[in-house]
């Protein structure tokens, strides 16, 4: 079966998006359910999403769907009707509406079929991802945060945790979700008598993590319904104290949603208080890092003197330098330890 896809250049698509005057709404959603033919499901959904001018990133697998998208606000009702009619499992699916949204989060629709909607590395055939922990709503989250017998566990990567997290949350210091799962089990072995609350950005990682903890013998396992996005939205709607500190990292052009006024991270170049992520302007590096405005000006949007010098070269010479150069962690330098290694070197380039 052929795969339907876009044939217009990214540059032109981004220019079109930036020129739009109609308001857009950014949404994330996921659902674990059985899809017999992911490719056929993907192609049908791709055409229908395209008809509604949906942009974003959608992953489809036999185990379900995971999506971060934007669409014209006036198409929101039609989009809900479409999504809810695609499969009974999606009827009245919760949609996480972005908190801090200018509508410029995506400019193209990318819909891919994968083995898993979240790469988890789980090969145990007895694992049941549908046997999850209990959902916690916003008021219950706040109650649990005050319970000394409860541990909050952040199932996101370091670069996400660094700019924002729940009060006193435990970080699982690894590069990938597949590494975090067994590490969380190991780190929490001595706390099986406590309440374990897992959380993540929109709920998809912490829901699977809660099932994995139950699979490994933990009894009192919970996860935040809808993740940080839904928690913050509901807490504000209900006039509750928002107990998430800082910014929620998101995987689109915004790179973050402001949850609280506190800035808990620091510029990776000068150490000033800052929580603004950016990608190095050097296409041969493209490292994700935190940079204050002063350093952005000084280094011209680059992560180091080396990269600043390289972007000043003619494009042909830049390409020649990049040719054959291994570019390990091109987009996300996820680990605290790898990040520190970069900060301690003469260049922050992610060339390994």
């Amino acid at each position: 079966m052929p795969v339907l896809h876009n044939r217009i250049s990214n540059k032109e698509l981004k220019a079109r998006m930036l020129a739009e005057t109609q308001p857009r709404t950014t949404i994330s959603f996921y659902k674990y359910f059985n899809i017999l033919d992911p490719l056929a499901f993907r192609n049908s959904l791709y055409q229908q999403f395209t008809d509604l001018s949906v942009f974003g990133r959608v992953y489809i697998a036999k185990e379900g769907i995971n999506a971060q998208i934007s669409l014209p606000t006036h198409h929101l009702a039609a989009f809900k009707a479409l999504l809810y009619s695609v499969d009974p499992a999606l009827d009245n699916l919760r949609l996480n509406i972005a908190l801090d949204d200018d509508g410029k989060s995506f400019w193209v629709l990318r819909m891919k079929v994968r083995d898993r909607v979240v790469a988890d590395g789980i090969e145990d055939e007895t694992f049941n991802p549908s046997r999850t922990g209990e959902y916690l709503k916003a008021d219950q989250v706040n109650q649990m945060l005050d319970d000394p017998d409860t541990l909050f566990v952040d199932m996101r990567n370091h670069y996400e945790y660094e700019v924002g997290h729940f009060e006193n949350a435990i970080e699982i210091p690894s590069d990938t979700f597949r590494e975090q799962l067994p590490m969380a089990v190991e780190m929490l072995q001595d706390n099986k008598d406590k309440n374990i609350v897992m959380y993540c950005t929109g709920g998809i990682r912490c829901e699977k993590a809660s099932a994995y903890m139950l699979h490994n013998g933990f009894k009192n396992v919970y996860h935040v319904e809808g993740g940080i996005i839904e928690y913050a939205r509901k807490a504000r709607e209900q006039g509750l104290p928002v107990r998430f500190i800082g910014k929620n990292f998101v995987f689109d052009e915004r790179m973050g949603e402001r949850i609280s006024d506190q800035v808990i991270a620091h510029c990776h170049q000068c150490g000033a208080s800052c929580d603004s992520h950016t990608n190095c302007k050097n296409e041969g590096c493209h490292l994700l890092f935190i940079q204050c405005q002063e350093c952005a000006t000084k280094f011209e949007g680059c992560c180091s003197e080396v990269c600043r010098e390289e972007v000043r070269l003619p494009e042909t010479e830049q390409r020649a330098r990049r040719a054959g150069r291994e570019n390990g962690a091109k987009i996300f330098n996820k680990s605290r330890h790898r990040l520190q290694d970069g900060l301690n070197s003469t260049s922050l380039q992610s060339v390994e």
Side-chain angles (χ1 to χ4, degrees):
M1 178 182 295
V3 178
L4 304 177
H5 60 85
N6 171 67
R7 296 181 181 276
I8 304 173
S9 72
N10 282 335
K11 184 176 181 180
E12 182 178 346
L13 288 168
K14 188 170 185 178
R16 289 183 184 182
M17 180 273 289
L18 292 173
E20 283 186 352
T21 57
Q22 62 183 354
R24 279 182 166 266
T25 299
T26 300
I27 296 170
S28 63
F29 62 89
Y30 73 92
K31 180 70 175 182
Y32 290 109
F33 70 107
N34 187 39
I35 300 177
L36 294 176
D37 188 340
L39 181 56
F41 184 91
R42 180 259 180 215
N43 281 350
S44 174
L45 211 58
Y46 184 91
Q47 187 58 62
Q48 294 177 88
F49 276 23
T50 299
D51 291 343
L52 291 175
S53 301
V54 172
F55 300 155
R57 184 186 304 111
V58 183
Y59 298 135
I60 294 166
K62 288 185 176 180
E63 68 173 359
I65 186 170
N66 179 23
Q68 299 85 41
I69 63 166
S70 78
L71 74 159
T73 303
H74 68 271
H75 283 170
L76 186 54
F79 175 79
K80 288 181 178 179
L82 163 64
L83 190 66
Y84 296 163
S85 67
V86 167
D87 188 284
L90 299 179
D91 187 26
N92 287 316
L93 178 68
R94 182 190 63 249
L95 304 179
N96 290 331
I97 308 295
L99 302 168
D100 184 12
D101 186 19
D102 61 2
K104 306 298 183 183
S105 50
F106 299 99
W107 66 84
V108 65
L109 176 60
R110 303 190 191 282
M111 191 175 289
K112 299 182 179 180
V113 172
R114 289 186 161 184
D115 291 335
R116 304 280 179 88
V117 289
V118 177
D120 53 35
I122 300 172
E123 297 181 358
D124 185 346
E125 294 183 358
T126 67
F127 172 66
N128 180 5
S130 66
R131 180 177 172 255
T132 65
E134 295 182 34
Y135 277 133
L136 291 180
K137 297 187 181 299
D139 59 333
Q140 296 171 313
V141 170
N142 285 0
Q143 292 171 18
M144 287 287 215
L145 283 164
D146 292 326
D147 183 350
D149 290 323
T150 297
L151 297 177
F152 273 68
V153 183
D154 195 312
M155 294 307 297
R156 303 172 302 151
N157 295 306
H158 174 67
Y159 62 89
E160 300 171 79
Y161 180 92
E162 184 179 16
V163 295
H165 49 259
F166 279 109
E167 298 171 6
N168 301 317
I170 297 170
E171 178 187 7
I172 309 298
S174 60
D175 286 5
T176 65
F177 182 63
R178 66 171 63 228
E179 292 175 348
Q180 279 185 319
L181 289 172
M183 189 177 290
V185 170
E186 181 180 354
M187 287 176 62
L188 298 170
Q189 274 300 319
D190 295 335
N191 294 281
K192 285 193 171 182
D193 59 328
K194 292 184 178 292
N195 299 317
I196 306 296
V197 178
M198 326 293 286
Y199 75 89
C200 58
T201 306
I204 189 168
R205 285 177 283 181
C206 54
E207 182 164 323
K208 182 170 281 189
S210 74
Y212 192 74
M213 298 301 282
L214 288 172
H215 182 71
N216 281 275
F218 289 79
K219 305 298 183 185
N220 305 313
V221 183
Y222 305 82
H223 55 115
V224 177
E225 184 175 13
I228 299 161
I229 297 172
E230 183 71 359
Y231 163 79
R233 187 174 71 86
K234 288 296 187 181
R236 290 172 179 173
E237 286 180 359
Q238 297 168 19
L240 303 172
V242 177
R243 304 283 292 276
F244 185 92
I245 306 168
K247 181 184 284 188
N248 181 30
F249 185 94
V250 291
F251 296 87
D252 58 51
E253 286 294 291
R254 297 169 297 152
M255 289 194 181
E257 294 179 327
R258 174 64 58 195
I259 305 296
S260 75
D261 293 333
Q262 297 105 311
V263 176
I264 63 174
H266 299 86
C267 174
H268 290 167
Q269 290 174 304
C270 72
S273 179
C274 176
D275 59 8
S276 297
H277 277 100
T278 188
N279 287 115
C280 178
K281 297 299 183 185
N282 180 7
E283 290 298 323
C285 172
H286 211 53
L287 175 72
L288 179 78
F289 69 111
I290 296 175
Q291 185 178 55
C292 69
Q293 187 55 53
E294 185 174 338
C295 287
T297 300
K298 177 181 177 181
F299 290 94
E300 299 174 24
C302 294
C303 67
S304 65
E305 292 281 3
V306 173
C307 280
R308 183 174 66 172
E309 291 172 4
E310 189 163 299
V311 297
R312 289 175 172 177
L313 297 173
E315 180 60 32
T316 53
E317 188 169 344
Q318 289 185 47
R319 286 198 297 268
R321 287 194 177 195
R322 294 197 296 266
R325 184 167 68 188
E326 185 178 348
N327 205 357
K330 185 177 181 184
I331 304 297
F332 299 121
N333 206 9
K334 300 175 181 178
S335 164
R336 170 191 295 166
H337 307 296
R338 287 172 56 202
L339 179 58
Q340 190 60 48
D341 289 343
L343 287 166
N344 289 337
S345 68
T346 56
S347 168
L348 281 177
Q349 291 185 81
S350 58
V351 178
E352 301 174 345

